[in-house]
Amino acid sequence: YDESGKAYPTCRLPPSTSCNTSTYTLIMMSHTTSRLHDFMNPLLVMMETWPGLTEVIIVWNSPRETLTSMAENTDAPSPNKKKADRNREIQERQYASQLLQWHNNSTHPLRIFFSLENGLENNLLNRYHPLLQPKNEAIMYFDDDGPFWSKDAMITSGFELWKRNSDVQVGAFPRNIRYMSQRMKDTGRHGVDSSIQAIASNARGVDLSPQTQSKHHHPLTFTPICRNVTGDTVEYNYFVFPDFDAHVLLPSGTFLHRNFLCFIWHPAFEELRTYVVTHKTYPDDMTVSTLISHLSGRAPRTFPREITDGVKEISRNRRMLMLEYDRDEREERDEDYEEENLNKVDQSHRRLLWKQKNWGKMREEAVNSLTGYFGSIHPGTVGWCAGTPYMQKRGRGVPYVCDPEKPTLDLIPWLKEGGPGYDHCPK
């Protein structure tokens, strides 16, 4: 009960697998009609061609009038504008009109959730609010400015991975946290190796849930943060998207069980939500990934963002030679990139926020505050190739990489009979 005597909501953790789930809800959040140019065409493709997509929720964080006024505007664009800008304005009106038509059609799968009309403020965490009441257990998220991954990456591969790991966050856009102390490095490496061993064993039917890990000698160790005693700090690595040893999933292209919405907005975590909306970088991605991992006792799972069509057939020996060459080249490329861009920040996410002065330092301060709040960090992700011949050791940086970086569907282990994870939801 809270101070007024009101009972707290009862939240329930999701099941470890959801093999019989065949449908999912897409949630996207926006606040300005200018973003309609970014997401309306990808959204239309998803609604027309992606199997299992039975509901779309657009979380609108601005007044309804920002949409209606754009849709109802019949004035000719200013002749002083460039032709491209005039065409863009006309297109924006058409997009707004189309979005509202879908919303007003009770038989259409899309509906708009107007945050302000539901008592909420403009908040990045609104996309995780229980008031959305998604119909499906599986929720798929995309940012309104993307990036938008393919159907093969998201549904054929990613959704199938989520079915086998529905008690964790599953995504394709990971970020890494670097440990500064040797103690944390050693513990973190042990955690990644234990996760790989657990997944490899899981191909033989071993349960990965926290309740059974000790029985199979695969404890998925969280790394303690002892900042006040030893001065432990971490660095936020915004240069690469590693297959292994990542700790934060950026929202675009993630899957989450709807049961987690209750936890994210539970009164017990009000302090965290306040931190997100008051911090200059609005670290909702860090907060959600860290919270979900501590609730589940497991690291997120990742799948490849890009799937190739595999047109060229290559013999296994020739392929392995190419993989060896590509791995060395990737290591050198990543290291050079980090050295050359040490004082730069990633521009592919939150493209307005990164322009702030000292944005990188503020993101690093945020991740240290959040890890300090929880007192530990999950063991890190493992790549799609964990427990397969395509997992390759790396001499520096993250401990392993997946080669090829962009696999064909026939290489995804949880889609192959006998592969790690397949038996969780056999076809």
Side-chain angles (χ1 to χ4, degrees):
Y1 295 89
D2 61 18
E3 295 178 354
S4 65
K6 182 180 178 181
Y8 281 167
T10 301
C11 303
R12 292 177 173 82
L13 289 170
S16 58
T17 60
S18 297
C19 297
N20 295 324
T21 300
S22 59
T23 59
Y24 53 94
T25 295
L26 167 63
I27 294 180
M28 283 199 293
M29 184 173 64
S30 193
H31 72 287
T32 174
T33 56
S34 65
R35 289 290 178 89
L36 297 174
H37 298 275
D38 295 316
F39 74 78
M40 283 294 285
N41 286 336
L43 174 59
L44 183 61
V45 170
M46 287 185 239
M47 291 192 298
E48 290 183 345
T49 65
W50 287 23
L53 178 56
T54 61
E55 182 182 37
V56 178
I57 303 175
I58 303 297
V59 180
W60 195 257
N61 277 350
S62 291
R64 184 190 293 254
E65 290 71 26
T66 56
L67 268 178
T68 57
S69 61
M70 178 61 68
E72 296 168 359
N73 186 356
T74 58
D75 296 338
S78 171
N80 297 326
K81 291 184 176 181
K82 295 179 179 180
K83 182 178 180 180
D85 293 335
R86 295 198 301 271
N87 291 339
R88 182 178 175 86
E89 183 177 335
I90 293 172
Q91 182 72 76
E92 198 166 313
R93 296 175 187 179
Q94 294 171 345
Y95 282 146
S97 177
Q98 180 67 79
L99 194 63
L100 288 167
Q101 286 178 23
W102 288 337
H103 170 71
N104 293 326
N105 181 354
S106 61
T107 64
H108 197 277
L110 183 144
R111 59 186 170 95
I112 305 173
F113 178 87
F114 292 98
S115 299
L116 305 186
E117 297 177 12
N118 284 275
L120 305 179
E121 298 177 349
N122 184 358
N123 186 335
L124 284 171
L125 292 172
N126 286 347
R127 57 182 142 189
Y128 303 107
H129 204 290
L131 286 177
L132 300 180
Q133 297 182 335
K135 297 177 182 178
N136 295 303
E137 293 181 355
I139 303 174
M140 179 177 69
Y141 287 95
F142 276 111
D143 287 338
D144 61 351
D145 60 346
F148 302 100
W149 314 121
S150 70
K151 179 174 65 176
D152 278 346
M154 291 300 303
I155 307 307
T156 309
S157 174
F159 187 36
E160 287 298 322
L161 179 64
W162 177 86
K163 291 179 185 181
R164 293 157 170 79
N165 299 272
S166 56
D167 59 340
V168 302
Q169 188 184 29
V170 176
F173 217 10
R175 285 299 201 193
N176 167 256
I177 294 175
R178 291 192 183 115
Y179 299 149
M180 295 293 98
S181 75
Q182 191 60 47
R183 176 192 64 81
M184 293 182 68
K185 291 177 181 179
D186 293 342
T187 305
R189 178 61 182 269
H190 172 73
V192 171
D193 288 340
S194 295
S195 297
I196 294 169
Q197 187 180 5
I199 288 172
S201 299
N202 208 28
R204 299 188 294 273
V206 176
D207 187 358
L208 279 182
S209 62
Q211 294 81 6
T212 60
Q213 288 169 17
S214 60
K215 297 180 182 179
H216 303 285
H217 311 292
H218 296 312
L220 304 186
T221 309
F222 276 53
T223 301
I225 299 287
C226 305
R227 186 169 55 184
N228 293 337
V229 177
T230 64
D232 286 344
T233 59
V234 297
E235 287 184 350
Y236 182 68
N237 181 2
Y238 41 73
F239 299 110
V240 294
F241 302 100
D243 302 314
F244 288 81
D245 203 27
H247 302 88
V248 174
L249 293 183
L250 302 186
S252 214
T254 57
F255 286 95
L256 197 66
H257 196 285
R258 71 180 175 192
N259 283 17
F260 282 122
L261 305 190
C262 176
F263 289 97
I264 294 172
W265 277 88
H266 194 281
F269 299 115
E270 182 177 0
E271 187 177 12
L272 283 176
R273 296 192 299 275
T274 300
Y275 182 78
V276 170
V277 299
T278 56
H279 195 274
K280 291 184 177 180
T281 66
Y282 308 112
D284 64 307
D285 51 347
M286 297 177 180
T287 302
V288 170
S289 288
T290 307
L291 175 59
I292 298 303
S293 68
H294 280 80
L295 290 169
S296 64
R298 294 177 56 195
R301 288 299 307 269
T302 59
F303 55 92
R305 295 184 298 282
E306 296 182 65
I307 301 291
T308 60
D309 57 14
V311 173
K312 294 182 179 180
E313 292 294 328
I314 308 173
S315 70
R316 177 172 175 79
N317 289 338
R318 172 63 176 158
R319 175 179 290 179
M320 295 309 291
L321 285 172
M322 291 177 65
L323 297 183
E324 187 70 21
Y325 171 79
D326 289 344
R327 185 181 77 249
D328 294 339
E329 186 178 47
R330 280 177 62 194
E331 288 184 15
E332 184 175 347
R333 183 185 70 217
D334 290 348
E335 290 294 326
D336 290 344
Y337 182 84
E338 293 188 19
E339 291 175 5
E340 293 172 5
N341 295 273
L342 192 59
N343 296 316
K344 298 181 181 180
V345 295
D346 170 53
Q347 301 178 13
S348 63
H349 184 63
R350 303 171 186 278
R351 55 187 178 189
L352 297 179
L353 292 177
W354 70 265
K355 293 181 179 180
Q356 296 185 53
K357 185 179 181 180
N358 296 322
W359 181 89
K361 291 181 179 179
M362 289 188 290
R363 288 282 283 178
E364 195 159 285
E365 181 275 325
V367 77
N368 273 283
S369 294
L370 289 167
T371 54
Y373 176 90
F374 286 97
S376 62
I377 308 177
H378 64 74
T381 61
V382 297
W384 64 266
C385 59
T388 75
Y390 304 103
M391 182 181 76
Q392 306 293 319
K393 284 188 176 182
R394 190 178 180 187
R396 50 188 175 179
V398 294
Y400 304 95
V401 295
C402 291
D403 281 316
E405 186 177 5
K406 302 172 185 178
T408 52
L409 283 175
D410 65 295
L411 299 184
I412 304 299
W414 54 88
L415 302 181
K416 298 170 57 177
E417 186 171 0
Y422 175 85
D423 287 342
H424 273 184
C425 298
K427 294 182 179 180

